[in-house]
Amino acid sequence: MTINYDTLIELQKVLAQMFEIEDKIKDIPRDLNDKEAVLQKTKLDYLDLSNKCESLSAEVEDIYKRYIEAGQTKEAKEKQMELTTLSREYENLAQEIEQAKASEQNLLKVYNARKKYLEELQLKLQVSADIVASQTQEVEEETEKKDSLIAEQNQILEDIKGKKDELSKDLSKNLLFKFERIIRNKGGVGVVPIHGIICQGCHMELPQQFANDVRKDEDIHFCPYCSRILYYEPSEEDEKFDNAVHGDIHADEEEGAETASDFISSDDNLFED
Ligand SMILES: [Zn+2]
């Protein structure tokens, strides 16, 4: 199977674009999900504060009721005192009036303090309600936008997939799958040249026989170190490579099959490393 490496390099670009768009599409709802999570938290805070306000409001109401009752008790005792003629009863009433007065004053103090605190909380509650409202609006707007953003990116993806199908029509399903995985894992670069015996993807030295096979280009070769697809590209390293295999790379073609098998067997040990 021979491979058109120019097409493969073109396909590589298209696949990298495709993955970028796919990631983008995945990120669109992710941003929105984050905002929704924040909104949920804000709503919980609001609810918490609202419950606090409600119970504090009941407490303040209760204190006020007790304050009024203390005042009424005081007045009733004062009226009773006007009517009494017995000195002992008079003394008792005077004491009770003093107690009611003290209680009334104390309740008023507590009432004022708690009422002030309630007003602070109510102000906070209003701010919290405003935040909930603005975050809700933002989430609603982004939900609407999300659908059109995704549709837009899907349209771009559709076009890219068309290009991909065109460029990959001669590749087997298996090879295409492998190539896509390499590109995903290797930062968008899945097909690289060899210079001499060096893979230009990972810069590892390849076995000489293996490099020779890549150069012959009779089949597809994957780098044993970085898994990228390899192709031959003339370079300065070729001279070193040629010297290393004792002569011209095409010697086997010129001198016949006998030399070719000699050449291969002499390098067989390289595969056992
Ligand atoms: Zn490599």
Side-chain angles (χ1 to χ4, degrees):
M1 178 191 181
T2 52
I3 296 286
N4 183 334
Y5 294 102
D6 289 338
T7 307
L8 215 53
I9 289 166
E10 200 52 44
L11 176 62
Q12 162 175 288
K13 280 187 215 156
V14 167
L15 287 174
Q17 273 177 351
M18 189 179 90
F19 295 145
E20 202 186 308
I21 301 287
E22 280 175 355
D23 288 346
K24 213 172 181 180
I25 291 173
K26 270 186 223 149
D27 280 343
I28 293 169
R30 200 174 295 154
D31 290 346
L32 183 60
N33 287 347
D34 288 349
K35 282 185 179 150
E36 275 171 343
V38 170
L39 174 59
Q40 285 314 311
K41 172 83 176 65
T42 314
K43 276 183 177 169
L44 283 179
D45 289 347
Y46 172 82
L47 216 65
D48 202 33
L49 204 54
S50 170
N51 287 336
K52 247 189 204 166
C53 275
E54 214 169 286
S55 69
L56 186 59
S57 177
E59 188 193 327
V60 167
E61 218 172 281
D62 182 59
I63 294 168
Y64 188 72
K65 219 170 90 189
R66 280 159 58 205
Y67 161 71
I68 295 296
E69 280 167 4
Q72 286 166 345
T73 304
K74 186 191 71 184
E75 278 169 28
K77 299 281 177 195
E78 279 168 350
K79 269 184 196 149
Q80 220 178 317
M81 204 157 93
E82 283 167 21
L83 302 172
T84 191
T85 49
L86 296 167
S87 74
R88 181 186 273 181
E89 202 182 337
Y90 190 90
E91 269 170 41
N92 283 344
L93 279 170
Q95 213 176 355
E96 281 168 15
I97 287 165
E98 278 315 303
Q99 278 170 1
K101 253 190 205 165
S103 172
E104 190 186 16
Q105 275 167 11
N106 186 43
L107 282 165
L108 184 62
K109 225 189 270 173
V110 175
Y111 169 77
N112 283 332
R114 297 306 276 169
K115 190 159 189 288
K116 195 173 166 227
Y117 182 42
L118 175 64
E119 281 164 3
E120 280 168 18
L121 280 190
Q122 280 167 337
L123 218 64
K124 276 189 192 167
L125 186 66
Q126 187 51 54
V127 171
S128 179
D130 290 346
I131 294 172
V132 168
S134 75
Q135 283 181 355
T136 302
Q137 194 190 349
E138 198 182 340
V139 165
E140 279 170 4
E141 281 170 6
E142 298 231 348
T143 303
E144 250 174 67
K145 246 200 299 183
K146 179 196 79 175
D147 296 338
S148 67
L149 266 178
I150 288 178
E152 197 180 294
Q153 293 300 319
N154 272 327
Q155 187 54 55
I156 298 172
L157 197 60
E158 224 30 49
D159 294 346
I160 292 174
K161 278 182 177 165
K163 276 190 218 163
K164 175 195 144 186
D165 291 344
E166 177 58 30
L167 288 166
S168 63
K169 63 180 193 291
D170 294 331
L171 298 183
S172 72
K173 248 188 184 169
N174 186 36
L175 180 59
L176 178 61
F177 175 75
K178 232 170 153 177
F179 191 49
E180 283 187 12
R181 212 177 42 187
I182 296 166
I183 288 178
R184 257 218 192 277
N185 294 337
K186 301 289 175 185
V189 182
V191 54
V192 292
I194 56 164
H195 289 173
I197 58 166
I198 312 288
C199 164
Q200 296 304 299
C202 63
H203 301 284
M204 294 291 283
E205 274 187 25
L206 303 166
Q208 280 177 355
Q209 180 60 55
F210 181 81
N212 186 33
D213 289 343
V214 173
R215 205 161 161 173
K216 279 191 205 156
D217 191 25
E218 285 169 350
D219 201 355
I220 191 150
H221 290 88
F222 297 91
C223 172
Y225 303 107
C226 70
S227 310
R228 292 184 176 97
I229 292 173
L230 300 169
Y231 66 93
Y232 169 69
E233 180 180 79
S235 71
E236 290 173 356
E237 301 288 319
D238 286 350
E239 202 179 322
K240 268 191 243 167
F241 173 81
D242 292 344
N243 290 339
V245 296
H246 311 296
D248 192 301
I249 189 73
H250 300 297
D252 54 335
E253 286 167 18
E254 288 161 17
E255 291 172 28
E258 212 179 291
T259 323
S261 62
D262 282 345
F263 169 72
I264 289 163
S265 62
S266 71
D267 284 330
D268 266 353
N269 59 335
L270 285 164
F271 282 101
E272 283 150 31
D273 283 347

